[in-house]
Amino acid sequence: MEPEKVIIVFFKWLRENPNIFMPTAWQDLPKLDTEIAESADDELFPIAMTISKWCAHHGLGDTLRDCTRKEIEDAGEPTATTQQMLTNTTQVLRQDIEETYKKLQQLDAQKLDKDNDSK
């Protein structure tokens, strides 16, 4: 798999489909954030490998692989957004992970509140 495609697909999940991490994978997003922090922006292959391993560990490996294949087939010219993602990879990815984690944490808390209210 091309590292750029893995990273872009993961960015799309964070921004457009964060529910893919539910019900439990989202709880490990801070660990992924820490692992990505150890990479430099120009180290796309190690970042993509970190994401791939994390996804595989959380049962998302096949989904990532399938989405990456589709992304390769549908790939056009890089957009300004994807180019920025790949230029400031660690910074943008870490920021998106943190924002998604907070959103999912709030959703999980709301779900627990609803579950408790219905009892």
Side-chain angles (χ1 to χ4, degrees), residues 24-33 54 57-58 97 101:
T24 58
W26 70 270
Q27 295 167 341
D28 258 357
L29 282 170
K31 181 180 179 199
L32 177 62
D33 182 34
W54 186 90
H57 179 75
H58 292 90
I97 288 171
Y101 177 74

Side-chain angles (χ1 to χ4, degrees), residues 36-47 87-91:
I36 287 172
E38 298 170 5
S39 299
D41 284 329
D42 60 348
E43 297 178 335
L44 296 183
F45 185 78
I47 293 170
T87 303
N88 303 313
T89 309
T90 54
Q91 178 187 355

Side-chain angles (χ1 to χ4, degrees), residues 32-98:
L32 177 62
D33 182 34
T34 302
E35 291 173 6
I36 287 172
E38 298 170 5
S39 299
D41 284 329
D42 60 348
E43 297 178 335
L44 296 183
F45 185 78
I47 293 170
M49 284 302 298
T50 300
I51 291 170
S52 295
K53 287 178 186 176
W54 186 90
C55 286
H57 179 75
H58 292 90
L60 297 168
D62 290 339
T63 306
L64 178 66
R65 203 170 11 263
D66 293 344
C67 287
T68 305
R69 273 194 211 113
K70 184 176 181 341
E71 192 70 27
I72 289 170
E73 291 169 7
D74 295 346
E77 292 300 312
T79 64
T81 304
T82 57
Q83 198 59 46
Q84 185 215 5
M85 288 178 202
L86 296 174
T87 303
N88 303 313
T89 309
T90 54
Q91 178 187 355
V92 177
L93 191 55
R94 293 186 69 216
Q95 181 180 343
D96 282 9
I97 288 171
E98 289 171 20

